[in-house]
Amino acid sequence: MIKNLNKKKIISLIQARTSSRRLPRKVLYELGNSTVLGQVIKKARIFSDKVIVCTSFEESDNEIEDYCKENNIFCYRGSLENVFLRYRDVLTKKEFSKYKWFARLTADNPLLSVKLAENLIHNINNNFDYICYEGDEIVIGTGIELVKKETFLKIDPKSLDKAEKEHVTLHLYEKAEKYKCKFIKSPNRHIQAHIRLTIDYIDDYFLIKKLFEIDSKMSAEKAIKIISRDKSFSEINKNCLQKKIR
């Protein structure tokens, strides 16, 4: 388990909305003894000192705010299209000034790996601006990203294009010559490239729902073992393709 000293460094921001084009309201789908968003929150609480859900002002996202109130989670509401500003508004609040680093999480990854998150946090070094795993080192849907708050807040929001406003860390790792980015290898061996544990499509949800029916406290590592041993699981969402950012 992560040392409390490191845990105190982290505030986790979970971006969430109900207006997904491919699978509307997916973040509030039932999963295990909770919801998709609830599972993300549970895992984030393990390695974070503070967890915040960042959603939009859209009426359709009232459900997310209501869910957060019911579960004692801080919920911030901002622009639907400009996720970068949602993050920026939260990070400039006085009550969060003590945090030097934040984690970016998305509400459609209910099997994010606590083990991978803790390992990433152990790699925090203030000489860097951004830390994440190399793209082919982890299963899709299991990782987080870490960003130095000071660096993030120095980014001019007016300089960002549409993709950078939606994918808030894109500006950092696409401009690696300007920012100090650290891409690390996974402590987990034998990465299964054919496995995807994110929820973009209904078949993704069917797969992950089936895994949580086996164990309501399903972890990424256990899920990967199950799918690796029984190929029928990966058949469920084999036709689901990861959408490219650009």
Side-chain angles (χ1 to χ4, degrees), residues 15 84 102 104 106 128-135 144-148 151-152 155 160-161 163-184 242-246:
Q15 58 192 73
F84 182 91
F102 71 90
R104 173 186 177 254
T106 59
F128 293 101
D129 300 308
Y130 172 80
I131 307 173
C132 74
Y133 288 101
E134 293 181 11
I144 67 168
E145 300 166 278
L146 296 176
V147 183
K148 187 194 292 185
T151 300
F152 185 82
I155 298 172
L160 304 179
D161 61 28
E164 291 170 328
K165 291 175 182 177
E166 179 181 358
H167 304 276
V168 299
T169 57
L170 183 63
H171 180 81
L172 294 168
Y173 62 77
E174 278 195 340
K175 294 177 173 59
E177 76 285 352
K178 181 178 180 180
Y179 300 102
K180 296 178 181 178
C181 301
K182 183 177 183 179
F183 302 94
I184 69 173
Q242 190 69 13
K243 182 181 177 182
K244 292 183 178 180
I245 295 175
R246 293 195 190 276

Short mmCIF file of all heavy atoms in Angstrom, two decimals, residues 15 84 102 104 106 128-135 144-148 151-152 155 160-161 163-184 242-246:
data_model
loop_
_atom_site.label_atom_id
_atom_site.label_comp_id
_atom_site.label_asym_id
_atom_site.label_seq_id
_atom_site.Cartn_x
_atom_site.Cartn_y
_atom_site.Cartn_z
N GLN A 15 -12.89 13.24 -14.87
CA GLN A 15 -13.79 13.91 -15.81
C GLN A 15 -14.93 12.97 -16.17
O GLN A 15 -14.72 11.81 -16.48
CB GLN A 15 -13.03 14.39 -17.04
CG GLN A 15 -12.31 13.32 -17.83
CD GLN A 15 -11.37 13.92 -18.85
OE1 GLN A 15 -10.31 14.46 -18.49
NE2 GLN A 15 -11.74 13.83 -20.12
N PHE A 84 -10.36 21.25 -20.28
CA PHE A 84 -9.17 21.91 -19.73
C PHE A 84 -9.56 22.99 -18.72
O PHE A 84 -8.98 23.07 -17.64
CB PHE A 84 -8.33 22.52 -20.86
CG PHE A 84 -7.06 23.18 -20.39
CD1 PHE A 84 -5.88 22.47 -20.31
CD2 PHE A 84 -7.06 24.52 -20.01
CE1 PHE A 84 -4.71 23.07 -19.85
CE2 PHE A 84 -5.90 25.13 -19.55
CZ PHE A 84 -4.72 24.40 -19.47
N PHE A 102 -1.49 16.58 -9.61
CA PHE A 102 -2.83 16.00 -9.71
C PHE A 102 -2.84 14.83 -10.67
O PHE A 102 -1.98 14.72 -11.56
CB PHE A 102 -3.87 17.05 -10.12
CG PHE A 102 -3.77 17.52 -11.55
CD1 PHE A 102 -4.47 16.87 -12.57
CD2 PHE A 102 -3.02 18.65 -11.89
CE1 PHE A 102 -4.41 17.32 -13.89
CE2 PHE A 102 -2.95 19.10 -13.20
CZ PHE A 102 -3.65 18.43 -14.19
N ARG A 104 -5.04 12.72 -13.51
CA ARG A 104 -6.17 12.80 -14.44
C ARG A 104 -6.75 11.41 -14.61
O ARG A 104 -6.05 10.47 -15.00
CB ARG A 104 -5.73 13.34 -15.80
CG ARG A 104 -6.85 13.28 -16.85
CD ARG A 104 -6.37 13.69 -18.23
NE ARG A 104 -7.44 13.55 -19.20
CZ ARG A 104 -7.51 12.58 -20.12
NH1 ARG A 104 -6.57 11.65 -20.17
NH2 ARG A 104 -8.51 12.52 -20.97
N THR A 106 -10.48 9.25 -15.99
CA THR A 106 -11.73 9.37 -16.73
C THR A 106 -12.74 8.40 -16.13
O THR A 106 -12.39 7.33 -15.64
CB THR A 106 -11.54 9.07 -18.23
OG1 THR A 106 -11.03 7.75 -18.39
CG2 THR A 106 -10.58 10.07 -18.85
N PHE A 128 10.12 16.94 -13.22
CA PHE A 128 9.28 16.62 -14.36
C PHE A 128 7.97 17.41 -14.30
O PHE A 128 7.57 17.90 -13.25
CB PHE A 128 8.97 15.12 -14.39
CG PHE A 128 10.18 14.27 -14.67
CD1 PHE A 128 10.84 13.61 -13.64
CD2 PHE A 128 10.68 14.14 -15.96
CE1 PHE A 128 11.97 12.85 -13.88
CE2 PHE A 128 11.79 13.37 -16.21
CZ PHE A 128 12.45 12.73 -15.19
N ASP A 129 7.32 17.48 -15.47
CA ASP A 129 6.03 18.16 -15.58
C ASP A 129 4.88 17.18 -15.73
O ASP A 129 3.74 17.49 -15.37
CB ASP A 129 6.02 19.11 -16.79
CG ASP A 129 7.08 20.19 -16.69
OD1 ASP A 129 7.13 20.87 -15.66
OD2 ASP A 129 7.87 20.34 -17.66
N TYR A 130 5.18 16.01 -16.29
CA TYR A 130 4.15 15.04 -16.64
C TYR A 130 4.73 13.64 -16.55
O TYR A 130 5.85 13.39 -16.99
CB TYR A 130 3.67 15.33 -18.07
CG TYR A 130 2.73 14.31 -18.66
CD1 TYR A 130 1.37 14.32 -18.36
CD2 TYR A 130 3.20 13.35 -19.56
CE1 TYR A 130 0.50 13.39 -18.93
CE2 TYR A 130 2.34 12.42 -20.13
CZ TYR A 130 0.99 12.44 -19.81
OH TYR A 130 0.13 11.53 -20.37
N ILE A 131 3.96 12.72 -15.95
CA ILE A 131 4.42 11.34 -15.78
C ILE A 131 3.29 10.39 -16.17
O ILE A 131 2.15 10.54 -15.70
CB ILE A 131 4.85 11.05 -14.33
CG1 ILE A 131 5.87 12.08 -13.84
CG2 ILE A 131 5.44 9.64 -14.22
CD1 ILE A 131 6.20 11.95 -12.36
N CYS A 132 3.61 9.42 -17.00
CA CYS A 132 2.63 8.39 -17.33
C CYS A 132 3.37 7.14 -17.81
O CYS A 132 4.60 7.13 -17.92
CB CYS A 132 1.64 8.87 -18.39
SG CYS A 132 2.34 8.95 -20.04
N TYR A 133 2.62 6.10 -18.10
CA TYR A 133 3.22 4.88 -18.64
C TYR A 133 3.36 4.99 -20.14
O TYR A 133 2.56 5.66 -20.81
CB TYR A 133 2.36 3.66 -18.29
CG TYR A 133 2.44 3.30 -16.82
CD1 TYR A 133 1.42 3.66 -15.94
CD2 TYR A 133 3.55 2.63 -16.30
CE1 TYR A 133 1.50 3.35 -14.59
CE2 TYR A 133 3.64 2.33 -14.95
CZ TYR A 133 2.61 2.69 -14.10
OH TYR A 133 2.70 2.40 -12.77
N GLU A 134 4.37 4.32 -20.68
CA GLU A 134 4.51 4.23 -22.12
C GLU A 134 3.24 3.57 -22.68
O GLU A 134 2.71 2.64 -22.08
CB GLU A 134 5.75 3.44 -22.49
CG GLU A 134 7.05 4.13 -22.11
CD GLU A 134 8.28 3.34 -22.51
OE1 GLU A 134 8.13 2.37 -23.27
OE2 GLU A 134 9.39 3.70 -22.07
N GLY A 135 2.78 4.05 -23.81
CA GLY A 135 1.50 3.64 -24.36
C GLY A 135 1.28 2.15 -24.49
O GLY A 135 0.17 1.65 -24.26
N ILE A 144 -3.43 5.86 -15.18
CA ILE A 144 -3.74 7.25 -14.88
C ILE A 144 -2.59 8.10 -15.42
O ILE A 144 -1.58 7.57 -15.90
CB ILE A 144 -3.91 7.52 -13.37
CG1 ILE A 144 -2.56 7.32 -12.63
CG2 ILE A 144 -4.99 6.62 -12.77
CD1 ILE A 144 -2.56 7.83 -11.20
N GLU A 145 -2.73 9.42 -15.34
CA GLU A 145 -1.66 10.33 -15.69
C GLU A 145 -1.43 11.29 -14.53
O GLU A 145 -2.38 11.64 -13.83
CB GLU A 145 -2.03 11.15 -16.94
CG GLU A 145 -2.32 10.32 -18.17
CD GLU A 145 -2.99 11.15 -19.25
OE1 GLU A 145 -4.23 11.32 -19.17
OE2 GLU A 145 -2.29 11.65 -20.14
N LEU A 146 -0.19 11.70 -14.34
CA LEU A 146 0.15 12.65 -13.29
C LEU A 146 0.70 13.92 -13.90
O LEU A 146 1.53 13.88 -14.81
CB LEU A 146 1.19 12.05 -12.34
CG LEU A 146 0.76 10.83 -11.52
CD1 LEU A 146 1.94 10.31 -10.70
CD2 LEU A 146 -0.40 11.18 -10.60
N VAL A 147 0.24 15.06 -13.39
CA VAL A 147 0.65 16.36 -13.92
C VAL A 147 1.05 17.29 -12.79
O VAL A 147 0.34 17.38 -11.77
CB VAL A 147 -0.50 17.01 -14.73
CG1 VAL A 147 -0.03 18.32 -15.36
CG2 VAL A 147 -1.01 16.05 -15.81
N LYS A 148 2.16 17.99 -12.98
CA LYS A 148 2.55 19.00 -12.00
C LYS A 148 1.62 20.20 -12.15
O LYS A 148 1.49 20.77 -13.24
CB LYS A 148 4.00 19.45 -12.22
CG LYS A 148 4.51 20.38 -11.11
CD LYS A 148 5.79 21.07 -11.49
CE LYS A 148 6.95 20.10 -11.59
NZ LYS A 148 8.23 20.83 -11.85
N THR A 151 2.95 23.64 -13.60
CA THR A 151 3.15 23.64 -15.05
C THR A 151 1.81 23.75 -15.78
O THR A 151 1.68 24.52 -16.74
CB THR A 151 3.86 22.34 -15.49
OG1 THR A 151 5.14 22.26 -14.84
CG2 THR A 151 4.06 22.30 -16.99
N PHE A 152 0.84 23.00 -15.32
CA PHE A 152 -0.48 22.99 -15.97
C PHE A 152 -1.10 24.38 -15.96
O PHE A 152 -1.67 24.82 -16.97
CB PHE A 152 -1.38 21.99 -15.24
CG PHE A 152 -2.73 21.80 -15.87
CD1 PHE A 152 -2.90 20.95 -16.94
CD2 PHE A 152 -3.84 22.48 -15.37
CE1 PHE A 152 -4.15 20.76 -17.52
CE2 PHE A 152 -5.10 22.29 -15.94
CZ PHE A 152 -5.25 21.43 -17.02
N ILE A 155 -0.12 27.01 -18.62
CA ILE A 155 -0.55 26.85 -20.01
C ILE A 155 -1.62 27.89 -20.33
O ILE A 155 -2.59 28.05 -19.57
CB ILE A 155 -1.10 25.44 -20.25
CG1 ILE A 155 0.00 24.38 -20.01
CG2 ILE A 155 -1.65 25.30 -21.67
CD1 ILE A 155 -0.51 22.95 -20.05
N LEU A 160 -4.84 26.71 -26.91
CA LEU A 160 -5.19 25.31 -27.13
C LEU A 160 -6.17 25.12 -28.28
O LEU A 160 -7.08 25.92 -28.48
CB LEU A 160 -5.80 24.73 -25.84
CG LEU A 160 -4.96 24.85 -24.57
CD1 LEU A 160 -5.71 24.24 -23.39
CD2 LEU A 160 -3.60 24.17 -24.74
N ASP A 161 -5.98 24.03 -29.00
CA ASP A 161 -6.94 23.70 -30.05
C ASP A 161 -8.05 22.83 -29.45
O ASP A 161 -8.04 22.51 -28.25
CB ASP A 161 -6.26 23.01 -31.24
CG ASP A 161 -5.59 21.68 -30.88
OD1 ASP A 161 -6.04 21.00 -29.94
OD2 ASP A 161 -4.62 21.31 -31.57
N ALA A 163 -8.88 19.65 -29.68
CA ALA A 163 -8.47 18.37 -29.10
C ALA A 163 -7.78 18.57 -27.75
O ALA A 163 -7.99 17.80 -26.81
CB ALA A 163 -7.54 17.62 -30.06
N GLU A 164 -6.97 19.62 -27.64
CA GLU A 164 -6.26 19.90 -26.39
C GLU A 164 -7.20 20.36 -25.28
O GLU A 164 -6.92 20.14 -24.10
CB GLU A 164 -5.18 20.95 -26.63
CG GLU A 164 -4.02 20.45 -27.49
CD GLU A 164 -3.09 21.56 -27.93
OE1 GLU A 164 -3.58 22.70 -28.12
OE2 GLU A 164 -1.89 21.30 -28.07
N LYS A 165 -8.30 20.97 -25.66
CA LYS A 165 -9.29 21.39 -24.67
C LYS A 165 -10.06 20.19 -24.12
O LYS A 165 -10.47 20.18 -22.97
CB LYS A 165 -10.27 22.38 -25.28
CG LYS A 165 -9.66 23.74 -25.60
CD LYS A 165 -10.64 24.64 -26.32
CE LYS A 165 -10.01 25.98 -26.69
NZ LYS A 165 -10.96 26.82 -27.46
N GLU A 166 -10.24 19.18 -24.95
CA GLU A 166 -10.97 17.99 -24.52
C GLU A 166 -10.07 16.99 -23.81
O GLU A 166 -10.45 16.41 -22.79
CB GLU A 166 -11.62 17.31 -25.73
CG GLU A 166 -12.39 16.04 -25.37
CD GLU A 166 -13.01 15.36 -26.56
OE1 GLU A 166 -12.90 15.87 -27.69
OE2 GLU A 166 -13.62 14.28 -26.36
N HIS A 167 -8.87 16.80 -24.35
CA HIS A 167 -7.90 15.86 -23.77
C HIS A 167 -6.82 16.70 -23.09
O HIS A 167 -5.85 17.12 -23.73
CB HIS A 167 -7.32 14.96 -24.85
CG HIS A 167 -8.37 14.21 -25.62
ND1 HIS A 167 -8.91 13.02 -25.18
CD2 HIS A 167 -9.00 14.51 -26.79
CE1 HIS A 167 -9.82 12.61 -26.04
NE2 HIS A 167 -9.91 13.49 -27.02
N VAL A 168 -6.99 16.93 -21.80
CA VAL A 168 -6.27 18.01 -21.12
C VAL A 168 -4.77 17.82 -20.99
O VAL A 168 -4.06 18.79 -20.73
CB VAL A 168 -6.88 18.26 -19.72
CG1 VAL A 168 -8.33 18.67 -19.83
CG2 VAL A 168 -6.74 17.03 -18.83
N THR A 169 -4.27 16.60 -21.18
CA THR A 169 -2.82 16.39 -21.09
C THR A 169 -2.15 16.33 -22.46
O THR A 169 -0.92 16.25 -22.55
CB THR A 169 -2.51 15.09 -20.33
OG1 THR A 169 -3.16 13.99 -20.98
CG2 THR A 169 -2.98 15.17 -18.88
N LEU A 170 -2.92 16.37 -23.51
CA LEU A 170 -2.41 16.27 -24.87
C LEU A 170 -1.36 17.33 -25.16
O LEU A 170 -0.32 17.06 -25.77
CB LEU A 170 -3.57 16.38 -25.86
CG LEU A 170 -3.26 16.22 -27.35
CD1 LEU A 170 -2.74 14.82 -27.64
CD2 LEU A 170 -4.52 16.48 -28.18
N HIS A 171 -1.62 18.55 -24.72
CA HIS A 171 -0.70 19.67 -24.95
C HIS A 171 0.67 19.39 -24.36
O HIS A 171 1.69 19.80 -24.93
CB HIS A 171 -1.29 20.95 -24.32
CG HIS A 171 -0.42 22.15 -24.49
ND1 HIS A 171 -0.39 22.90 -25.65
CD2 HIS A 171 0.46 22.75 -23.64
CE1 HIS A 171 0.46 23.90 -25.51
NE2 HIS A 171 0.99 23.84 -24.29
N LEU A 172 0.71 18.67 -23.26
CA LEU A 172 1.98 18.39 -22.59
C LEU A 172 2.80 17.34 -23.34
O LEU A 172 3.96 17.56 -23.68
CB LEU A 172 1.72 17.92 -21.15
CG LEU A 172 1.11 18.95 -20.21
CD1 LEU A 172 0.63 18.28 -18.94
CD2 LEU A 172 2.13 20.04 -19.88
N TYR A 173 2.20 16.18 -23.59
CA TYR A 173 3.02 15.12 -24.18
C TYR A 173 3.22 15.24 -25.69
O TYR A 173 4.13 14.61 -26.24
CB TYR A 173 2.50 13.73 -23.80
CG TYR A 173 1.11 13.35 -24.25
CD1 TYR A 173 0.83 12.99 -25.56
CD2 TYR A 173 0.06 13.30 -23.33
CE1 TYR A 173 -0.44 12.61 -25.94
CE2 TYR A 173 -1.22 12.93 -23.71
CZ TYR A 173 -1.46 12.57 -25.02
OH TYR A 173 -2.73 12.19 -25.40
N GLU A 174 2.42 16.07 -26.35
CA GLU A 174 2.69 16.33 -27.77
C GLU A 174 3.81 17.35 -27.96
O GLU A 174 4.37 17.46 -29.04
CB GLU A 174 1.43 16.83 -28.48
CG GLU A 174 0.48 15.73 -28.89
CD GLU A 174 -0.57 16.18 -29.89
OE1 GLU A 174 -0.82 17.42 -29.98
OE2 GLU A 174 -1.14 15.32 -30.56
N LYS A 175 4.12 18.08 -26.90
CA LYS A 175 5.18 19.08 -26.96
C LYS A 175 6.29 18.71 -25.96
O LYS A 175 6.66 19.50 -25.09
CB LYS A 175 4.62 20.47 -26.68
CG LYS A 175 3.64 20.96 -27.75
CD LYS A 175 3.05 22.30 -27.40
CE LYS A 175 2.21 22.84 -28.57
NZ LYS A 175 1.10 21.93 -28.93
N ALA A 176 6.76 17.48 -26.13
CA ALA A 176 7.77 16.95 -25.21
C ALA A 176 9.06 17.75 -25.24
O ALA A 176 9.86 17.69 -24.30
CB ALA A 176 8.05 15.49 -25.53
N GLU A 177 9.28 18.51 -26.32
CA GLU A 177 10.49 19.33 -26.40
C GLU A 177 10.38 20.55 -25.48
O GLU A 177 11.39 21.14 -25.09
CB GLU A 177 10.75 19.77 -27.85
CG GLU A 177 9.86 20.87 -28.39
CD GLU A 177 8.44 20.42 -28.73
OE1 GLU A 177 8.17 19.21 -28.70
OE2 GLU A 177 7.60 21.29 -29.02
N LYS A 178 9.16 20.93 -25.15
CA LYS A 178 8.92 22.10 -24.30
C LYS A 178 8.75 21.70 -22.84
O LYS A 178 9.16 22.44 -21.94
CB LYS A 178 7.67 22.83 -24.78
CG LYS A 178 7.33 24.09 -23.99
CD LYS A 178 6.11 24.79 -24.56
CE LYS A 178 5.77 26.04 -23.78
NZ LYS A 178 4.58 26.74 -24.32
N TYR A 179 8.14 20.54 -22.61
CA TYR A 179 7.87 20.08 -21.25
C TYR A 179 8.70 18.84 -20.91
O TYR A 179 9.08 18.08 -21.80
CB TYR A 179 6.38 19.76 -21.09
CG TYR A 179 5.49 20.94 -21.35
CD1 TYR A 179 4.80 21.07 -22.56
CD2 TYR A 179 5.34 21.95 -20.40
CE1 TYR A 179 3.99 22.16 -22.82
CE2 TYR A 179 4.53 23.04 -20.65
CZ TYR A 179 3.86 23.15 -21.86
OH TYR A 179 3.06 24.24 -22.10
N LYS A 180 8.96 18.67 -19.64
CA LYS A 180 9.73 17.51 -19.19
C LYS A 180 8.77 16.36 -18.86
O LYS A 180 8.14 16.35 -17.80
CB LYS A 180 10.56 17.88 -17.96
CG LYS A 180 11.63 18.95 -18.27
CD LYS A 180 12.41 19.33 -17.03
CE LYS A 180 13.45 20.39 -17.36
NZ LYS A 180 14.18 20.83 -16.13
N CYS A 181 8.65 15.45 -19.80
CA CYS A 181 7.72 14.33 -19.66
C CYS A 181 8.49 13.05 -19.38
O CYS A 181 9.51 12.77 -20.00
CB CYS A 181 6.92 14.16 -20.94
SG CYS A 181 5.95 15.63 -21.39
N LYS A 182 7.97 12.28 -18.45
CA LYS A 182 8.60 11.01 -18.09
C LYS A 182 7.64 9.87 -18.42
O LYS A 182 6.52 9.82 -17.90
CB LYS A 182 8.94 10.98 -16.60
CG LYS A 182 9.67 9.70 -16.17
CD LYS A 182 10.05 9.76 -14.69
CE LYS A 182 10.85 8.52 -14.28
NZ LYS A 182 11.24 8.57 -12.85
N PHE A 183 8.07 8.99 -19.30
CA PHE A 183 7.26 7.84 -19.68
C PHE A 183 7.93 6.59 -19.12
O PHE A 183 9.07 6.29 -19.48
CB PHE A 183 7.14 7.75 -21.21
CG PHE A 183 6.55 8.99 -21.83
CD1 PHE A 183 7.38 10.00 -22.31
CD2 PHE A 183 5.18 9.16 -21.91
CE1 PHE A 183 6.84 11.15 -22.88
CE2 PHE A 183 4.64 10.31 -22.47
CZ PHE A 183 5.47 11.30 -22.95
N ILE A 184 7.24 5.91 -18.22
CA ILE A 184 7.87 4.79 -17.53
C ILE A 184 7.30 3.45 -17.98
O ILE A 184 6.23 3.36 -18.55
CB ILE A 184 7.74 4.93 -16.00
CG1 ILE A 184 6.29 4.75 -15.55
CG2 ILE A 184 8.27 6.29 -15.54
CD1 ILE A 184 6.13 4.72 -14.04
N GLN A 242 -10.41 1.43 -30.30
CA GLN A 242 -10.07 2.64 -29.58
C GLN A 242 -10.08 3.85 -30.51
O GLN A 242 -9.46 3.82 -31.57
CB GLN A 242 -8.68 2.50 -28.92
CG GLN A 242 -8.34 3.60 -27.94
CD GLN A 242 -9.20 3.55 -26.67
OE1 GLN A 242 -9.88 2.56 -26.42
NE2 GLN A 242 -9.13 4.60 -25.87
N LYS A 243 -10.81 4.86 -30.12
CA LYS A 243 -10.90 6.08 -30.93
C LYS A 243 -9.59 6.87 -30.81
O LYS A 243 -9.06 7.06 -29.73
CB LYS A 243 -12.07 6.94 -30.44
CG LYS A 243 -12.28 8.22 -31.23
CD LYS A 243 -13.44 9.01 -30.65
CE LYS A 243 -13.63 10.34 -31.38
NZ LYS A 243 -14.73 11.14 -30.78
N LYS A 244 -9.08 7.32 -31.97
CA LYS A 244 -7.87 8.11 -31.98
C LYS A 244 -8.18 9.56 -31.61
O LYS A 244 -9.23 10.09 -31.99
CB LYS A 244 -7.21 8.05 -33.35
CG LYS A 244 -6.66 6.67 -33.71
CD LYS A 244 -5.94 6.69 -35.04
CE LYS A 244 -5.37 5.30 -35.35
NZ LYS A 244 -4.66 5.30 -36.65
N ILE A 245 -7.27 10.17 -30.89
CA ILE A 245 -7.47 11.56 -30.47
C ILE A 245 -7.37 12.51 -31.66
O ILE A 245 -8.17 13.44 -31.81
CB ILE A 245 -6.44 11.95 -29.39
CG1 ILE A 245 -6.69 11.13 -28.12
CG2 ILE A 245 -6.52 13.45 -29.09
CD1 ILE A 245 -5.66 11.37 -27.04
N ARG A 246 -6.41 12.26 -32.51
CA ARG A 246 -6.24 13.08 -33.74
C ARG A 246 -6.29 12.17 -34.95
O ARG A 246 -5.84 11.05 -34.91
CB ARG A 246 -4.91 13.82 -33.71
CG ARG A 246 -4.83 14.91 -32.62
CD ARG A 246 -3.64 15.82 -32.93
NE ARG A 246 -3.33 16.73 -31.86
CZ ARG A 246 -3.93 17.92 -31.66
NH1 ARG A 246 -4.92 18.26 -32.46
NH2 ARG A 246 -3.56 18.72 -30.68
#
